[in-house]
Amino acid sequence: MKKIFTLLSLLLVGIISANAQYYYIPHINAGSNPGGLNTDIEQPTATGWATIATTSASPTWSSVATLPFPFTFNGSSFTQLKASTSGVVTFSTAAVTVPPATSSALPSASIPDNSVCVWGLAASGANDKIWTKTFGTAPNRQFWVQYNSYSCPGSTGWTYWGVVFEETTNEIYVVDQRNYNAPLALSIGLQLDGSTAVMVAGSPTLGSNTTLGGNLDDATDNSYYEFLLGTLPPEEAELSSLSIPRYVLSPSNVNITGIITNWGGTNITSIDIKYEVGGNVYSDTKTGLNIPFGGQIAFTHIIPFNVANPTNYSIKVWSDLTNDANHSNDTLTTEVNGLAFTTTKRVVFEEATGTWCGWCPRGAVYMDSLAALHPSTAMLIAVHNGDPMVVAAYDAGMNTQISGYPSGLVDRKDNNVDPSTFIAEYNQRINDVGPCDVDVTATYNPANLLATITVDGHFATDLTGDYRFNAVITEDDVTGTTTAWDQHNYYSFQSQNIPLQGAGHNWQAEPQIVLAANMIYDHVGRALLGGWNGLAGSLPSNMTANNTYSHTFTYQIPVGYDLSQLRAIGWVQNNATGSIINSNFSQVVSGIDNLENSTFGIHVFPNPLTSGFGNVKLNVKKSASFDFKILDILGNVVRSNQSSLKPGEYVYPLNLENLANGVYTVRVTSGSDALTQKIILNK
């Protein structure tokens, strides 16, 4: 359970801080890093960090690190620091005596002047390191000193903490990032000199707020302490968060809701909440309150916002407290998009796996379960590493998002998640509302094995930004013959008494190495056609509601692939966030077989239709009656006709001028024979 500070301890903050040159604000269960600049995964695989200390049996100082900007601490400017493996970061780089691993109250004679303390750590593990990295751009950078994979005296668990120095504001943050089985007893705070310090309540036996379940590899379970120069202001309100849906069916009303936090020494009894849309300001005064320091209220603005049209609305929300000492945290902005129609959500699962990975059978089991439970709405891709099924570019992209194997990404919104949570993740993400529907058609030419994959996005709202199409080819029933295809299995009864059944195996009853002859691999990612970030320029920077946009990828199918087991998965992704906003799939089928049978063949041209006018060419092989239909994306018949024809070639004009842009299907039926072809209308 995450540790929650009591009101008494929060009030104590102001008392302690009033006697020092600094005070602090605890951001417990913040669910983010300060300022949001550091989005790296919290593991040794992150890039761009410079190591200044490694594992050490006894406390030692790191090498000296140079900050990329001058930092003012207690009135003096510093450009260099060093860190002890016991959890003390100091600007007193000439200090010789190293603080011990066991902490005590601050101030302490063991701590040099001008120090920031996460005192009470130990660097006894093989992977332990202190490293540094700069985030952001001048004049708003942060310099991070991270204690990576550390422990505490006498423990074999691990913990991650960051000490952050912020340019311009000269604020200091101590970030509680990860903790597993490490019973910490820390002194967290600042020591200005031998007689002056500010210490977080609970020190010197302070633990982590992420003790249980807090080993997530991103910032969603993080807490942090913010240290500011000065004294606690009497009035200081923060608009901490907003909870407003991004996409809603228009027209409809949306509640403006959020959380206000009091960081002032005086209880808040009333406050104005305001929001602005399109130059119009709406105000609501909340009275009868009694919010203490560190306390919060959840609010709903008395005036809901009317989302009238399928377009984008920028909403600015702010708190307005008389004599507020800091206006920089009063305001948050968000966007709401009205939708012209309800979209159908599908969820993309990318599983990091490898035949060498003995825990990866559980990934296969949960992927197989998703395939059985949600065959049309779970898009499944097994991204292989270090084995014959690897796709180098796909593997490289996955490795920027995960810390180990097996692991997975879900719509690239939830990253580095264990496959055992895939079903729960699906149940959460399937309720997301997306701004577009996605449709995929995939055919190949049997003569040259060239596949053509068209991904369509039918947008329900006006949308602006860097959005991109992407497509992946997967194959089921993949087998091999060499030992590189053998699946390692740590669930074997020889090593682990953990039952695991699925994907064609009772893994507990299988040997530690399951031979290639007994292995079939499904959902294997064979090609990443748009690159990890999607294909730049494949969508315009401005999309319009009710319009359909399209991109066609090509893929040369290697000889030996099972053509009957190939699937194309397409999606639209947001390049700014990396997330997938919606997706769909299609089996890869023979294009020739799809457009011709023993009775007739069809060809629609041009495609896409940019004028609203086109043609359907019909090649009749024997006399028969024919039924022509054009259907919209929802299956509604928008055009129909019937004819009895003799053998020959016929060309029928196609007039879609009065229809909305989108994806349509031309279907021609004669008796039991039927052929279809999708057509894009984009006038």
Side-chain angles (χ1 to χ4, degrees), residues 283-321:
S283 182
D284 179 17
T285 300
K286 302 295 185 183
T287 60
L289 309 176
N290 190 28
I291 313 171
F293 174 85
Q296 296 182 326
I297 61 160
F299 70 85
T300 298
H301 200 284
I302 194 172
I303 304 172
F305 172 61
N306 179 248
V307 182
N309 299 302
T311 191
N312 175 270
Y313 297 90
S314 179
I315 301 177
K316 181 175 78 170
V317 185
W318 68 97
S319 63
D320 190 353
L321 178 68

Side-chain angles (χ1 to χ4, degrees), residues 516-549:
N518 299 320
M519 285 302 304
I520 296 174
Y521 298 95
D522 289 330
H523 321 298
V524 177
R526 289 303 205 178
L528 180 63
L529 302 181
W532 179 256
N533 294 319
L535 186 62
S538 53
L539 277 164
S541 57
N542 295 286
M543 280 77 70
T544 306
N546 290 307
N547 273 6
T548 297
Y549 304 88

Side-chain angles (χ1 to χ4, degrees), residues 440-591:
V440 179
T441 57
T443 62
Y444 70 90
N445 185 337
N448 59 12
L449 295 184
L450 183 66
T452 301
I453 300 95
T454 300
V455 185
D456 307 313
H458 183 206
F459 281 78
T461 185
D462 297 341
L463 202 63
T464 299
D466 186 2
Y467 292 85
R468 303 177 179 188
F469 283 120
N470 212 337
V472 170
I473 301 295
T474 67
E475 184 181 2
D476 287 337
D477 290 351
V478 177
T479 60
T481 57
T482 67
T483 56
W485 294 81
D486 296 346
Q487 178 63 57
H488 290 238
N489 173 32
Y490 295 160
Y491 290 93
S492 167
F493 67 90
Q494 300 174 39
S495 58
Q496 291 289 334
N497 188 26
I498 302 174
L500 186 74
Q501 297 184 35
H505 296 266
N506 178 351
W507 295 97
Q508 187 185 13
E510 296 277 10
Q512 290 184 0
I513 295 180
V514 183
L515 298 180
N518 299 320
M519 285 302 304
I520 296 174
Y521 298 95
D522 289 330
H523 321 298
V524 177
R526 289 303 205 178
L528 180 63
L529 302 181
W532 179 256
N533 294 319
L535 186 62
S538 53
L539 277 164
S541 57
N542 295 286
M543 280 77 70
T544 306
N546 290 307
N547 273 6
T548 297
Y549 304 88
S550 175
H551 184 80
T552 297
F553 298 89
T554 58
Y555 172 60
Q556 186 65 56
I557 303 172
V559 175
Y561 282 17
D562 187 342
L563 300 175
S564 68
Q565 299 296 330
L566 294 181
R567 170 182 286 201
I569 298 173
W571 64 71
V572 174
Q573 63 190 83
N574 182 346
N575 189 53
T577 64
S579 61
I580 296 170
I581 61 175
N582 215 346
S583 58
N584 209 336
F585 78 98
S586 172
Q587 294 299 127
V588 182
V589 298
S590 168

Side-chain angles (χ1 to χ4, degrees), residues 12-296:
L12 187 60
V13 174
I15 297 171
I16 294 173
S17 304
N19 296 320
Q21 288 90 340
Y22 281 85
Y23 69 99
Y24 78 91
I25 296 174
H27 298 270
I28 306 303
N29 302 329
S32 64
N33 285 326
L37 296 181
N38 179 0
T39 59
D40 279 5
I41 61 172
E42 299 165 350
Q43 280 275 13
T45 53
T47 58
W49 293 79
T51 299
I52 60 173
T54 56
T55 183
S56 176
S58 58
T60 187
W61 287 113
S62 72
S63 59
V64 173
T66 299
L67 282 78
F69 49 82
F71 185 85
T72 300
F73 182 82
N74 198 32
S76 298
S77 181
F78 297 94
T79 58
Q80 291 186 318
L81 55 76
K82 65 181 181 180
S84 77
T85 56
S86 52
V88 177
V89 179
T90 186
F91 293 111
S92 298
T93 56
V96 176
T97 303
V98 185
T102 301
S103 67
S104 60
L106 302 177
S108 169
S110 299
I111 304 299
D113 294 350
N114 305 314
S115 293
V116 182
C117 297
V118 195
W119 185 19
L121 298 176
S124 56
N127 296 321
D128 297 0
K129 65 182 71 175
I130 305 173
W131 55 8
T132 65
K133 185 175 179 178
T134 303
F135 294 89
T137 56
N140 301 303
R141 290 170 289 182
Q142 289 180 348
F143 184 75
W144 278 64
V145 180
Q146 188 192 56
Y147 286 85
N148 187 295
S149 191
Y150 259 58
S151 188
C152 59
S155 171
T156 58
W158 44 259
T159 191
Y160 289 63
W161 290 78
V163 176
V164 185
F165 302 94
E166 190 167 78
E167 186 179 19
T168 303
T169 66
N170 292 301
E171 290 188 12
I172 299 168
Y173 304 92
V174 174
V175 187
D176 182 359
Q177 296 182 282
R178 306 183 77 206
N179 194 69
Y180 178 75
N181 198 30
L184 301 174
L186 303 176
S187 275
I188 295 179
L190 311 182
Q191 179 151 321
L192 310 183
D193 55 42
S195 60
T196 310
V198 54
M199 185 172 62
V200 171
S203 301
T205 58
L206 190 63
S208 170
N209 293 287
T210 61
T211 299
L212 296 178
N215 58 353
L216 297 179
D217 209 16
D218 58 24
T220 54
D221 63 343
N222 286 6
S223 298
Y224 61 88
Y225 304 94
E226 178 183 11
F227 294 87
L228 303 97
L229 185 65
T231 57
L232 187 69
E235 295 189 67
E236 158 62 341
E238 175 189 71
L239 177 58
S240 302
S241 64
L242 294 174
S243 180
I244 303 172
R246 173 65 193 271
Y247 301 106
V248 296
L249 197 63
S250 62
S252 62
N253 288 330
V254 172
N255 286 326
I256 306 299
T257 63
I259 293 176
I260 296 289
T261 305
N262 181 15
W263 293 126
T266 303
N267 288 11
I268 295 176
T269 57
S270 68
I271 191 170
D272 290 335
I273 309 295
K274 299 179 180 181
Y275 75 92
E276 179 182 8
V277 184
N280 297 314
V281 176
Y282 307 89
S283 182
D284 179 17
T285 300
K286 302 295 185 183
T287 60
L289 309 176
N290 190 28
I291 313 171
F293 174 85
Q296 296 182 326

